Amino acid sequence: MGIFLPGVPSLIMPDHPEIHHRRSIRLQPYDYAQAGAYFVTICTVGRACWLGEVVGGEMRLSALGQIVEREWLRTPTICPQVELDAYVIMPNHFHAVLLLTDVGAYCNTPLQHAPDTTQSLQSPSQTLGAIIRGFKGATTKQINLLRQTPGASFWQRNYYEHIIRDEHDLAEIRRYIEFNPGCWADDAENPARQGAI
């Protein structure tokens, strides 16, 4: 599954129910708190196309997609050890490259109910998983407020990650992200394509 571009390997993990239920798909015993570059893919629950639409090969974000983009761009403010690289929001999934740089830094999580909104907690967890959980939680909360759907799930429970090995790997992933909207008609994640198969 995934988009196949000339010279670019598929970067999307095949959908295997036996992997996605209960068992971790993380590489064992890899330390996801160590400095490095990662490619992540996060899908909406049920792969619903809530984030926008592709028109003429370009992604047009919905209000929900705009929340996702705004929160993603805020990530380095909350987690100073994170540097953002290429990303693309698609109708029902999100691809991004992020770099963990300072393994000694902590994420600052705003206190939700504090009278002074400048107060924050420092999270001891510096792992990729903690960063993605925080992002998914923040976006879900804002989206549920907008849609008036308190407690509803927005993202699938897990996410896919790929550890970026070198500059060549990074260049291929950046190219994949750049061309992703233009290949939407043939994307395995496109519900219109799935219905035609």
Side-chain angles (χ1 to χ4, degrees):
M1 293 177 73
I3 297 173
F4 296 93
L5 297 172
V8 180
S10 174
L11 299 172
I12 302 301
M13 183 174 177
D15 188 22
H16 296 293
E18 69 276 10
I19 294 174
H20 293 293
H21 296 292
R22 306 269 183 208
R23 290 186 0 211
S24 174
I25 58 174
R26 308 285 80 88
L27 180 64
Q28 300 297 330
Y30 187 82
D31 178 7
Y32 285 94
Q34 73 182 9
Y38 302 90
F39 171 59
V40 297
T41 299
I42 309 169
C43 296
T44 59
V45 70
R47 288 183 169 78
C49 293
W50 291 325
L51 301 175
E53 62 181 337
V54 176
V55 178
E58 292 187 11
M59 184 62 193
R60 294 189 182 163
L61 297 178
S62 66
L64 306 184
Q66 291 171 18
I67 289 171
V68 169
E69 182 172 51
R70 186 172 55 247
E71 199 60 36
W72 183 249
L73 295 175
R74 226 169 61 90
T75 300
T77 305
I78 297 165
C79 297
Q81 77 272 28
V82 174
E83 289 182 16
L84 303 182
D85 199 282
Y87 72 93
V88 66
I89 299 167
M90 296 297 291
N92 60 7
H93 63 281
F94 170 66
H95 295 300
V97 172
L98 69 153
L99 294 85
L100 296 184
T101 57
D102 181 1
V103 295
Y106 289 99
C107 288
N108 296 310
T109 306
L111 292 171
Q112 302 284 337
H113 305 290
D116 177 2
T117 56
T118 61
Q119 287 183 314
S120 65
L121 292 173
Q122 287 192 326
S123 170
S125 182
Q126 304 164 48
T127 66
L128 178 64
I131 293 161
I132 299 301
R133 266 192 314 276
F135 166 73
K136 287 168 71 174
T139 53
T140 298
K141 181 175 182 178
Q142 293 175 46
I143 287 167
N144 282 343
L145 282 172
L146 181 67
R147 296 190 317 170
Q148 299 181 353
T149 54
S153 296
F154 185 77
W155 299 108
Q156 287 186 1
R157 192 179 66 144
N158 218 329
Y159 66 96
Y160 167 75
E161 112 288 318
H162 168 82
I163 302 160
I164 299 173
R165 294 170 192 85
D166 54 34
E167 287 294 326
H168 176 73
D169 196 15
L170 178 59
E172 287 186 340
I173 291 168
R174 284 174 174 160
R175 183 169 177 254
Y176 173 82
I177 287 172
E178 178 185 355
F179 289 105
N180 208 221
C183 298
W184 177 241
D186 297 321
D187 194 318
E189 300 298 329
N190 185 338
R193 181 177 180 269
Q194 292 171 358
I197 295 175

